[in-house]
Amino acid sequence: MHWQVEHVPELTGYTVEWAEQGNYFLSRRNVLYHSRDLQPPFKKFAAIDAPIWKEVASTFRLAQRLLRFQVTNVIPLENGDVFVTFDKSVGIIRDHKYHNLDRLIRPCRVLRSACAINDKGSIFFGEYLANTEREVIRIYKYSGGTLEVVFTFPEKSIKHIHGIYFDEFTNSLFCLTGDDLNECQILQTFDDFKTIKVIGQGDETWRAVSLLFSEKHIFYGMDAEFRTNHIYQFDRKSGEREALGKVNGTVFYSKKIGNAFFFTTTAENAPSQTENSAALWHVDKNGICEQIVSFKKDRWHTTLFQFGTIHFPYVNKLKDRLYFHLVGVKGDNGVFVLTSQKQ
């Protein structure tokens, strides 16, 4: 199978947040749009409340990046509501109006695709904060219109939560934490965090931001600052790990097309980085890793104006293609589509 990447100029400035045949959600700054075919013009779905000065400033792309004025998760629910995380807020869109969720103890970011929705329709997410003082970190559950804290990591235990992911093969949730040595953990729960099983912890080989699942394995890329990053395959039955291949940098995001697994590296100029580029990697059914395309970091400051990243939709239900959006690299704010070409 050969994979081809094409630029989609008509989507420039938009991020595809949910990709399903006949049902697409896109974001542009603090506005969500809906489309049946991804052909502009797009129908405005809702605007997320934000200070006017931020809305005006963020019409300039660098200001948008500086302010992190962007959507990170969009999840349509069965009752017609849409769950959204934006900047440091979490809310619900109902009847095309945005409502902040009550009971969020403090503003917090949630990384892209880092919310889990389980088989009962409950959504789980964790706090992603700078947390230099190592205060407590919370996991929330949103269910039946109510937000509650279901687990709290004690002080001095972790820095933050990278993501929570639902494993449909075992009906369980996985939680990924970081950043320093013993703070790097992959955890599993079968009962909504009443009890937790440690899959692995203790060094940067267990530091991950996202997971992908198959019937027999769990896949993830390392998010290591100080050691070479690899993509790992974890065997569910034996509990053994296998490094499938070395990649050019820290891995943030991952997504599937059928049985094909895709991972993106991040241009953050970490000590472990072999080149300051964001790249898209493919892992085939035989565990072979291959870089498909890479994008060099742009000239703007990494910390102030965001790392160079490749953003996937929260869900990709398309069987033959995957859209992605560029941030902080040459071609910033552009959208591309990955498609398979049979050889």
Side-chain angles (χ1 to χ4, degrees):
M1 188 78 74
H2 174 70
W3 297 94
Q4 178 176 307
V5 173
E6 294 181 289
H7 183 219
V8 188
E10 62 269 26
L11 296 182
T12 298
Y14 294 92
T15 303
V16 179
E17 302 287 356
W18 182 277
E20 180 181 15
Q21 197 68 41
N23 184 33
Y24 297 89
F25 282 92
L26 306 93
S27 70
R28 189 172 189 176
R29 296 186 290 275
N30 65 322
V31 179
L32 280 187
Y33 299 85
H34 187 261
S35 174
R36 295 189 180 278
D37 56 9
L38 276 189
Q39 296 300 313
F42 303 120
K43 182 180 179 181
K44 181 179 176 180
F45 185 79
I48 299 167
D49 297 337
I52 293 297
W53 73 267
K54 283 191 174 183
E55 290 192 28
V56 173
S58 293
T59 59
F60 298 94
R61 177 59 176 167
L62 277 182
Q64 181 193 7
R65 285 167 54 180
L66 177 66
L67 296 169
R68 278 37 172 191
F69 197 75
Q70 58 200 26
V71 171
T72 52
N73 291 276
V74 173
I75 309 176
L77 304 179
E78 288 187 359
N79 66 355
D81 292 349
V82 178
F83 178 91
V84 177
T85 64
F86 168 82
D87 191 16
K88 291 185 178 180
S89 69
V90 180
I92 288 289
I93 295 173
R94 179 173 295 150
D95 298 326
H96 302 284
K97 292 184 179 180
Y98 178 78
H99 306 272
N100 277 310
L101 289 181
D102 295 331
R103 300 185 181 179
L104 191 69
I105 292 173
R106 57 185 172 187
C108 68
R109 286 197 170 92
V110 182
L111 289 184
R112 288 196 64 82
S113 300
C115 302
I117 181 166
N118 69 8
D119 57 331
K120 299 179 181 65
S122 300
I123 295 174
F124 297 80
F125 64 91
E127 294 178 310
Y128 183 81
L129 301 163
N131 197 23
T132 54
E133 300 300 319
R134 297 305 194 266
E135 298 175 354
V136 300
I137 290 290
R138 301 171 182 87
I139 294 175
Y140 290 91
K141 174 183 177 181
Y142 177 75
S143 182
T146 301
L147 185 69
E148 62 176 321
V149 175
V150 292
F151 187 80
T152 301
F153 288 92
E155 292 181 356
K156 312 299 181 184
S157 60
I158 66 168
K159 182 178 182 181
H160 48 213
I161 294 168
H162 288 154
I164 300 175
Y165 298 90
F166 177 66
D167 175 16
E168 62 182 1
F169 296 98
T170 60
N171 285 333
S172 65
L173 295 164
F174 283 80
C175 176
L176 311 179
T177 68
D179 277 340
D180 298 334
L181 296 180
N182 288 332
E183 298 174 343
C184 302
Q185 302 175 93
I186 298 181
L187 310 171
Q188 184 181 22
T189 179
F190 291 88
D191 54 13
D192 297 357
F193 293 97
K194 294 181 179 67
T195 59
I196 291 177
K197 174 184 177 182
V198 178
I199 300 298
Q201 67 176 0
D203 62 44
E204 285 192 316
T205 67
W206 294 105
R207 178 173 166 176
V209 175
S210 62
L211 298 176
L212 294 176
F213 304 101
S214 71
E215 185 176 359
K216 295 181 179 180
H217 299 100
I218 301 167
F219 298 84
Y220 69 92
M222 290 168 55
D223 172 36
E225 288 184 76
F226 303 106
R227 59 195 302 169
T228 300
N229 285 281
H230 291 82
I231 294 174
Y232 273 100
Q233 173 181 276
F234 178 86
D235 188 284
R236 294 179 185 271
K237 187 175 181 180
S238 69
E240 295 181 355
R241 287 188 302 169
E242 178 185 357
L244 299 179
K246 181 172 64 175
V247 292
N248 67 304
T250 55
V251 176
F252 278 16
Y253 308 120
S254 53
K255 207 62 64 178
K256 292 197 296 185
I257 303 178
N259 293 321
F261 296 77
F262 298 93
F263 299 83
T264 66
T265 57
T266 302
E268 59 174 299
N269 205 26
S272 64
Q273 196 117 35
T274 58
E275 57 185 44
N276 204 21
S277 299
L280 177 62
W281 289 79
H282 169 234
V283 176
D284 68 14
K285 62 182 180 180
N286 298 314
I288 304 301
C289 297
E290 176 190 16
Q291 181 176 296
I292 297 173
V293 66
S294 67
F295 303 89
K296 290 186 177 181
K297 178 73 180 77
D298 63 18
R299 64 193 179 95
W300 302 105
H301 191 278
T302 302
T303 304
L304 290 178
F305 296 106
Q306 297 187 277
F307 297 158
T309 52
I310 298 171
H311 289 178
F312 291 138
Y314 176 83
V315 157
N316 182 65
K317 295 187 177 182
L318 307 177
K319 296 180 180 180
D320 59 354
R321 60 196 185 278
L322 175 63
Y323 290 91
F324 61 88
H325 176 250
L326 301 183
V327 176
V329 294
K330 293 182 178 179
D332 172 67
N333 219 16
V335 175
F336 291 76
V337 64
L338 174 72
T339 55
S340 62
Q341 304 293 320
K342 293 184 178 180
Q343 294 178 316

